[in-house]
Amino acid sequence: MEREVVVSEDAAASSSSSSSSAAAASFSLAETRVICRVCQKQFAQYTCPRCNARYCSLPCYKGHSVQCTESFMRENVMDELKQMQPEDESKKKMLDILKRFHLEEEDMDSEGEDESILSEELIQKVMSGDEIKLEDLSDDEIKRFRQALASGELSKMIEPWTPWWKKPSARSISLSPDGSQLIRQVSVEDTDTSDPMADPESSISEIPEGPESALPSLKQLTRAEPSPLLAVHLVDILYSYCFTLRLHNGDWRSDPFGASTVALSVSKVMGEDAKPETVSEALTACIEETCSPAYRHTGGFRFAIALVDDIISLLMLGGNALVCALCDFRRLIHIGERMLKAEKLGKAERSRSTQKLRAADRKLYFMTCWVHEQPNEAWSSLARLVEVQKASLEELDCGSQFQRAGRKNDAQSKVLIEEI
């Protein structure tokens, strides 16, 4: 609504040029400021990118955007379902991954059928807790020990780790409105400044700590609008985080540099600066890496499906749990970068590793700030989208298993020697 202001000539002549310009500036500022559409009390500072509603704060955004957010996520889910056709490129790629993995698995099983793995005597030595060095073993025992490592038999002796996001206490994570921790022990030395190799068990808490200081708003970090693909990139990052923790049985501090290297190799968003556009594309790239020869020993496709379950669990816990997970991931990257100095690497390789780790740290920090500003309704919608992709992947795996069973039956039904 336009407003007109009439000023008499005498008043205009009596006022100075400076006061006139100041009055015009203040009038212009008052004209451009809009009242918040939700609370009708404060001036609006933000605009919803979907419905263009003007609002003043995060509570007002949440108040207006329940229907807006749900419809937005619903459209994304429907778009993903429409894209999941039999001729979809990502579906073809996943079928190829499954075929390669199952063929390699069959080859390993056939090669290991006639070979002994680990002797009972060596198992007893390990179970008794005696210190054993490779120099104390014979050549045959060393060979068997390495075979046991490759086959995963020794991993059965390790008590499996329960992820923190599966524990009941993860459902009640609380952070302050600015994203920082509510309670912090100042008497205990910070884990980032202490030696990560000294007493690792005492540094592992049940739930990772959140940010130590307030998280800035996205407008303080960048002038550009956040990418709408950040939710997809978050799926890639969470997969890498869960993979790394599972691989190290929850204790990534035992090998910080190795853990950070694994994390960057699994996450294409952080390691290769990839920009997947759909959840299916992000998961396909991560699962392909999990089924590769480098990580095939972890469990292959079955392990990958379990990691997708982990992503769903984290998303269902809400924004506070996601912020804590991303902070824990940043600590992993920080300590990995610090331990890089002790690694025997060439100058060029050390420089590349440092650049990758620092770039990953910046992305994780930006992602943490972005997650903190999103409403909780967004995470349940994203979790449902990941569940749809998981069901599609399991369906592909079942079809691949049936094909393998059919090939085995055909091979067994062939008569090599027929009695006449």
Side-chain angles (χ1 to χ4, degrees):
M1 179 178 179
E2 297 182 357
R3 295 173 55 187
E4 297 182 359
V5 177
V6 179
V7 182
S8 63
E9 295 181 359
D10 297 338
S14 62
S15 60
S16 63
S17 60
S18 59
S19 61
S20 299
S21 60
S26 62
F27 175 74
S28 176
L29 180 62
E31 282 293 315
T32 57
R33 303 192 72 176
V34 179
I35 298 296
C36 174
R37 176 181 173 183
V38 181
C39 68
Q40 301 290 330
K41 296 179 181 180
Q42 304 293 333
F43 287 113
Q45 301 181 18
Y46 312 101
T47 303
C48 176
R50 178 167 176 79
C51 64
N52 293 325
R54 301 297 299 273
Y55 60 94
C56 64
S57 61
L58 181 60
C60 288
Y61 173 76
K62 292 181 179 179
H64 105 281
S65 67
V66 174
Q67 184 177 2
C68 179
T69 305
E70 287 183 355
S71 61
F72 176 68
M73 286 299 178
R74 191 182 300 112
E75 290 178 5
N76 285 342
V77 172
M78 296 305 298
D79 291 340
E80 287 287 340
L81 290 175
K82 289 178 182 178
Q83 293 175 8
M84 291 169 57
Q85 300 298 328
E87 299 300 324
D88 190 12
E89 290 298 327
S90 62
K91 200 166 187 177
K92 288 182 179 180
K93 192 173 183 180
M94 183 55 62
L95 280 172
D96 292 338
I97 295 172
L98 287 171
K99 289 178 182 179
R100 290 201 308 269
F101 173 72
H102 288 311
L103 289 174
E104 292 171 354
E105 196 176 40
E106 290 176 0
D107 293 340
M108 289 183 63
D109 292 340
S110 60
E111 290 176 0
E113 285 178 354
D114 301 329
E115 295 181 1
S116 59
I117 301 177
L118 192 63
S119 65
E120 291 294 332
E121 181 182 358
L122 186 56
I123 292 178
Q124 291 299 327
K125 289 181 180 180
V126 175
M127 295 297 292
S128 62
D130 295 339
E131 184 178 354
I132 299 176
K133 299 179 180 179
L134 287 178
E135 293 81 4
D136 301 332
L137 306 179
S138 63
D139 293 340
D140 185 53
E141 286 177 330
I142 292 176
K143 180 181 178 181
R144 292 179 179 180
F145 181 73
R146 288 175 175 169
Q147 289 174 348
L149 286 176
S151 65
E153 182 175 334
L154 291 181
S155 62
K156 299 176 183 178
M157 304 178 184
I158 302 174
E159 183 179 356
W161 170 67
T162 302
W164 62 265
W165 53 85
K166 298 286 188 180
K167 297 181 179 180
S169 56
R171 302 172 188 169
S172 57
I173 299 176
S174 297
L175 297 174
S176 62
D178 60 10
S180 60
Q181 304 171 21
L182 289 175
I183 301 175
R184 182 167 179 263
Q185 296 180 357
V186 295
S187 59
V188 180
E189 200 173 0
D190 292 340
T191 55
D192 283 348
T193 57
S194 60
D195 184 5
M197 305 305 292
D199 193 16
E201 293 183 359
S202 63
S203 60
I204 302 175
S205 58
E206 185 170 323
I207 303 298
E209 295 180 348
E212 297 178 1
S213 58
L215 293 174
S217 65
L218 291 179
K219 291 187 177 295
Q220 293 177 291
L221 299 178
T222 177
R223 295 181 179 178
E225 288 294 327
S227 170
L229 301 177
L230 286 178
V232 176
H233 298 176
L234 177 64
V235 172
D236 171 279
I237 291 174
L238 291 178
Y239 187 101
S240 174
Y241 173 70
C242 297
F243 181 95
T244 305
L245 263 64
R246 290 275 190 183
L247 184 65
H248 290 80
N249 207 37
D251 184 17
W252 55 263
R253 294 177 183 273
S254 60
D255 183 15
F257 178 70
S260 60
T261 303
V262 168
L264 295 187
S265 66
V266 174
S267 172
K268 305 305 177 186
V269 171
M270 294 194 303
E272 300 179 6
D273 198 24
K275 295 177 175 59
E277 298 182 355
T278 62
V279 173
S280 175
E281 183 182 350
L283 288 177
T284 299
C286 293
I287 293 174
E288 183 176 11
E289 186 68 24
T290 305
C291 296
S292 66
Y295 299 116
R296 185 175 53 195
H297 64 281
T298 60
F301 188 76
R302 298 183 193 91
F303 181 53
I305 291 296
L307 293 173
V308 177
D309 267 332
D310 289 336
I311 296 174
I312 297 172
S313 298
L314 278 169
L315 290 173
M316 293 303 293
L317 289 175
N320 288 342
L322 293 173
V323 168
C324 290
L326 293 172
C327 285
D328 192 37
F329 209 172
R330 282 194 71 206
R331 294 187 192 99
L332 187 156
I333 298 297
H334 278 166
I335 299 180
E337 183 182 352
R338 202 166 76 233
M339 298 302 294
L340 178 63
K341 299 177 182 178
E343 297 293 326
K344 296 181 179 179
L345 300 174
K347 186 176 181 181
E349 186 177 357
R350 188 187 303 277
S351 176
R352 285 195 300 269
S353 299
T354 302
Q355 290 178 359
K356 279 190 173 183
L357 290 172
R358 290 178 179 174
D361 175 66
R362 290 193 296 269
K363 288 183 180 180
L364 286 173
Y365 186 66
F366 185 86
M367 184 66 72
T368 305
C369 298
W370 177 79
V371 166
H372 173 62
E373 291 191 3
Q374 304 310 305
N376 271 328
E377 295 85 2
W379 310 128
S380 57
S381 300
L382 183 58
R384 288 194 292 270
L385 186 58
V386 177
E387 284 179 343
V388 171
Q389 295 299 327
K390 179 195 168 189
S392 176
L393 293 171
E394 289 177 332
E395 183 181 352
L396 291 175
D397 185 43
C398 289
S400 178
Q401 289 180 359
F402 284 134
Q403 290 179 2
R404 287 195 303 138
R407 289 198 303 269
K408 286 186 177 180
N409 292 333
D410 291 342
Q412 293 176 358
S413 62
K414 291 182 180 178
V415 180
L416 299 180
I417 301 177
E418 183 178 358
E419 183 178 356
I420 300 177

